[in-house]
Every structure is written in structure tokens, then in C-alpha cells.
Amino acid sequence: MASETTERRLIMTILMVSTLLTMLGVAGLIMGVSDLSLAPIPDDARDYYEEEADLTDIQIEIFEVWASNPYRRPMAAANVVVSGLVLIGSFMLSWRRRPAQWWIKQAVTAKVLWIVAYTVTLGQHIQRSLTASTLEEAGTTATAIVGALALFGMLSIGLHVAAAYRATRPDIGQFIEQSAKPRA
């Protein structure tokens, strides 16, 4: 009875962690493909939005700065790759493949490195590109915007690391080894 409960708990843990990793991987793929397919922005970024959209100058300028980031496309391509690795790791975990834990460690490490690189490159571009007059008008600073960007980056890193930590625990590894089908 106790082993059934433990087995059930481990199966539920694998399912939940695999689902979280799948969602993180899919979100990264969608963002990467979206960034890769974004056409050059028009002279006035308001043309991207409907007439009814009530946008402030700072919102338009932040969009223009984000879209003009020279590292946007290379970082988007890297995001597609590392998010695909996270997605493959989640599938391997749900299928209980032996190399799943190793794969997830490598994929999450790559994704964390990508998050740090993306946050740093976009933060530097924001610091260099936003004009002081627009920021003063909005009542904010470039440092505050970069701080919010860093906060979102830390949240994403936390989610990835927490999922990887749980997926690579020894009890999960033992369960995968015991339930893995021997190859003929």
C-alpha cells in the first residue's frame, strides 16, 4: 500500500513537472518565433495598433526600442533552440526515458544562460536608447524599466530552476530507472 502511494506521488510529480517544463518550452518557442517573424517597424509604431488604442508616448518608445534591439533576432533564434531543448526534456521525462534528468539539467542551464544574456542585452539597449525627455514625461527612469525587466528575468529563472530541481531529484531518477523498459 505504501509503495502504491509513493509510486502515485512520483507519477503525479513527473506529470506536473513535465507539464511545467512543456509550458515553459512552448512559451519560449512562441516568443522566439514571434521575435523572428516581426517585420521592421514603421516610422511611427502607432501604426501597429488600432486607432482606438490609447497608447502613451513611453509605451510607443519602449516598443520601438525593443523592436530596434540589434540582438533581437539572434537572441530569438537562440530562444527557439534552448526552448526546444526544454521541450524535448519535458517529453523525455513524461516518457520516463533514462537520459531525461541529464537532458533537463543541460536544457535548463542553457535556458538560464539565455535568459541572463537576453536580459543584459535588452537592458543595455534600453539604457542607451530611451530619451530622458520621454522618461521624465512618463515619470520613470530607464533604470526602473531595466529593473522591471530584470525582475521578470529572475521570475523566469526561478521557474526553470525549480522545475529542473524537482525533475532531477534522486527519487525521480530511481523511479525512472525502475520503470524504464529494458531494450531487447
Side-chain angles (χ1 to χ4, degrees), residues 86-100:
V86 170
L87 199 56
I88 291 169
S90 74
F91 293 154
M92 291 176 77
L93 182 64
S94 63
W95 295 330
R96 298 184 209 154
R97 298 293 185 241
R98 284 191 175 113

Side-chain angles (χ1 to χ4, degrees), residues 10 101 169-180:
L10 289 172
Q101 290 186 311
R169 299 248 329 233
D171 57 341
I172 299 291
Q174 289 173 343
F175 181 72
I176 289 172
E177 280 295 321
Q178 290 171 355
S179 63

Side-chain angles (χ1 to χ4, degrees), residues 4 16 31 59 62 76 86 92 102 104 110 127 135 150 158 170 176:
E4 279 185 34
M16 297 304 286
M31 290 300 296
Q59 290 171 323
I62 287 174
V86 170
M92 291 176 77
W102 176 86
I104 289 170
Q127 289 278 32
L135 291 170
I176 289 172

Side-chain angles (χ1 to χ4, degrees), residues 11-184:
I11 290 171
M12 290 302 295
T13 300
I14 287 172
L15 176 65
M16 297 304 286
V17 170
S18 178
T19 302
L20 176 59
L21 287 169
T22 300
M23 289 188 305
L24 292 170
V26 167
L29 281 172
I30 290 171
M31 290 300 296
V33 169
S34 172
D35 283 353
L36 281 173
S37 64
L38 185 66
I41 60 170
D43 289 336
D44 185 9
R46 291 182 199 278
D47 295 343
Y48 262 34
Y49 299 99
E50 297 176 12
E51 294 291 326
E52 301 87 37
D54 187 28
L55 299 173
T56 63
D57 289 339
I58 188 71
Q59 290 171 323
I60 295 298
E61 190 162 341
I62 287 174
F63 176 72
E64 288 172 346
V65 167
W66 169 77
S68 67
N69 183 2
Y71 302 109
R72 181 176 52 88
R73 292 182 63 85
M75 292 303 289
N79 190 15
V80 168
V81 172
V82 296
S83 296
L85 296 174
V86 170
L87 199 56
I88 291 169
S90 74
F91 293 154
M92 291 176 77
L93 182 64
S94 63
W95 295 330
R96 298 184 209 154
R97 298 293 185 241
R98 284 191 175 113
Q101 290 186 311
W102 176 86
W103 190 277
I104 289 170
K105 284 180 192 176
Q106 307 314 310
V108 169
T109 301
K111 184 67 178 194
V112 166
L113 290 173
W114 178 87
I115 293 167
V116 170
Y118 179 78
T119 303
V120 167
T121 57
L122 183 57
Q124 287 178 342
H125 186 65
I126 288 171
Q127 289 278 32
R128 285 183 298 210
S129 301
L130 285 178
T131 61
S133 61
T134 306
L135 291 170
E136 286 174 9
E137 190 178 300
T140 189
T141 63
T143 306
I145 294 170
V146 171
L149 177 68
L151 182 65
F152 284 118
M154 293 302 288
L155 176 66
S156 182
I157 287 172
L159 282 171
H160 282 85
V161 169
Y165 171 75
R166 187 60 187 122
T168 57
R169 299 248 329 233
D171 57 341
I172 299 291
Q174 289 173 343
F175 181 72
I176 289 172
E177 280 295 321
Q178 290 171 355
S179 63
K181 297 176 182 130
R183 304 218 186 232

